[in-house]
Amino acid sequence: MNASLPPGLYIVATPIGNLGDLSPRAAQTLRGASLILAEDKRVSAKLLAHTGATAPMWTYHDHSSEADRDAVLARLANEAVALISDAGTPLISDPGYKLVRAARVAGHQVHTIPGPCAAVAALTLAGLPTDRFLFVGFLPAKAKARGEAIAEIASIRASLVLYESGPRLGEALLALRDGLGSRDAAVVREISKLHEECRTGTLAELADRYAGAAPKGEIVIVVGPPPEREAASDEELDAALQAALTSMTASRAAAHVAELLNLPRKRVYARALTLGPDR
Ligand code: SAM
């Protein structure tokens, strides 16, 4: 063990395709750890050989049990333990949050060594708004659940970032087109590798492009936010309110129409009072 590395849990980000992206601090931490938790020991062996890390590896993945976590906790008091995933930042669509929580509850130090993350790297390539984004991770594989998951996020005013695999890309783009309309989007592939690629277009164009043509490699889909609605005119407001007032009180009609037309509720309520049965 490297005596300069104090005991605790170290979350270490590793490359997503290009070994050159391993930070010096990540390499130093892996060399200094006395135990390395890896999702798949065979996958991580190459990286550890590259860094010169010689600590033993334990498997830690989504199916690790509470007993597995307890065994790790027992080591944390006196030793530096590093957590890595197959690639990128641990905990981002990868295991680890339960271990971080348990380590903190048990009073151990938790440190992060930040680095590559496919979601953030894809955002930097897509050329879509980055001021607000929602990381969606993987959509469900089954069509019904996938449609429901997309409907749930359709009105969120932010860019969306999704992880996907080549064989499912075509279906996912069709479902996104159907659920979100034809927003601007990007399919980002093989980031930091030889065949890195970013294709942009509307969801409809990208769905056509990839229909029945599964690309190879690892993929992130980035979808731009929904288009800004033009402000509703007074005539549109009155028409929507009159329709709502046939079955609702002024207050409920105002809430419904304010949401529908994206208008301030106060203004809509004031107008409803001049039109509705409660006036
Ligand atoms: N923890 C990782 C991270 O920080 O990005 C993500 C792990 S998740 C299990 C794996 C998914 O990340 C892949 O299916 C793909 O969607 C995306 N991904 C990972 N590496 C990538 C790369 N080099 N290019 C594009 N997408 C990548």
Side-chain angles (χ1 to χ4, degrees):
M1 175 183 156
N2 180 340
S4 65
L5 202 54
L9 180 63
Y10 293 77
I11 315 299
V12 183
T14 61
I16 54 171
N18 189 324
L19 277 179
D21 294 336
L22 185 81
S23 75
R25 190 168 165 236
Q28 199 181 14
T29 305
L30 293 173
R31 278 194 299 272
S34 53
L35 174 65
I36 296 171
L37 308 176
E39 260 186 288
D40 183 330
K41 294 200 257 185
R42 281 166 310 175
V43 172
S44 295
K46 191 173 152 208
L47 174 82
L48 295 187
H50 172 78
T51 62
T54 52
M57 274 191 277
W58 281 6
T59 306
Y60 187 84
H61 49 48
D62 275 333
H63 306 292
S64 291
S65 65
E66 221 168 308
D68 296 328
R69 273 187 289 284
D70 286 345
V72 175
L73 295 181
R75 303 281 300 261
L76 285 176
N78 300 310
E79 293 174 78
V81 177
L83 172 70
I84 56 176
S85 57
D86 284 353
T89 300
L91 283 82
I92 306 302
S93 280
D94 271 335
Y97 87 90
K98 289 181 185 162
L99 180 61
V100 168
R101 190 171 54 188
R104 197 158 276 123
V105 167
H108 300 300
Q109 291 292 315
V110 181
H111 304 277
T112 192
I113 316 297
C117 174
V120 173
L123 273 166
T124 66
L125 286 172
L128 292 164
T130 52
D131 51 336
R132 272 161 65 86
F133 62 88
L134 175 73
F135 176 62
V136 180
F138 289 95
L139 286 170
K142 296 211 169 109
K144 183 163 179 287
R146 184 169 54 212
E148 286 166 1
I150 293 171
E152 213 177 311
I153 53 175
S155 61
I156 291 176
R157 310 198 72 76
S159 292
L160 307 173
V161 184
L162 304 102
Y163 284 165
E164 201 40 274
S165 68
R168 287 185 3 185
L169 178 67
E171 273 181 27
L173 288 169
L174 277 175
L176 288 165
R177 181 203 65 187
D178 293 346
L180 304 178
S182 198
R183 297 190 200 171
D184 287 336
V187 171
V188 188
R189 217 169 56 80
E190 296 288 84
I191 299 165
S192 76
K193 303 184 198 176
L194 187 60
H195 298 293
E196 177 178 289
E197 172 186 82
C198 175
R199 283 186 185 260
T200 58
T202 63
L203 279 172
E205 288 163 352
L206 291 169
D208 276 355
R209 162 74 181 73
Y210 288 106
K216 289 208 170 78
E218 300 195 277
I219 292 159
V220 183
I221 304 172
V222 185
V223 182
E228 291 290 328
R229 254 193 78 93
E230 279 185 23
S233 66
D234 287 348
E235 290 72 27
E236 276 178 292
L237 172 59
D238 284 0
L241 272 174
Q242 269 153 353
L245 285 165
T246 59
S247 61
M248 298 179 202
T249 64
S251 163
R252 294 198 62 181
H256 168 73
V257 171
E259 169 83 28
L260 192 72
L261 300 181
N262 194 24
L263 289 172
R265 191 167 162 172
K266 229 171 150 182
R267 174 186 158 203
V268 180
Y269 183 60
R271 188 71 192 151
L273 289 180
T274 69
L275 296 173
D278 304 354
R279 75 182 159 220

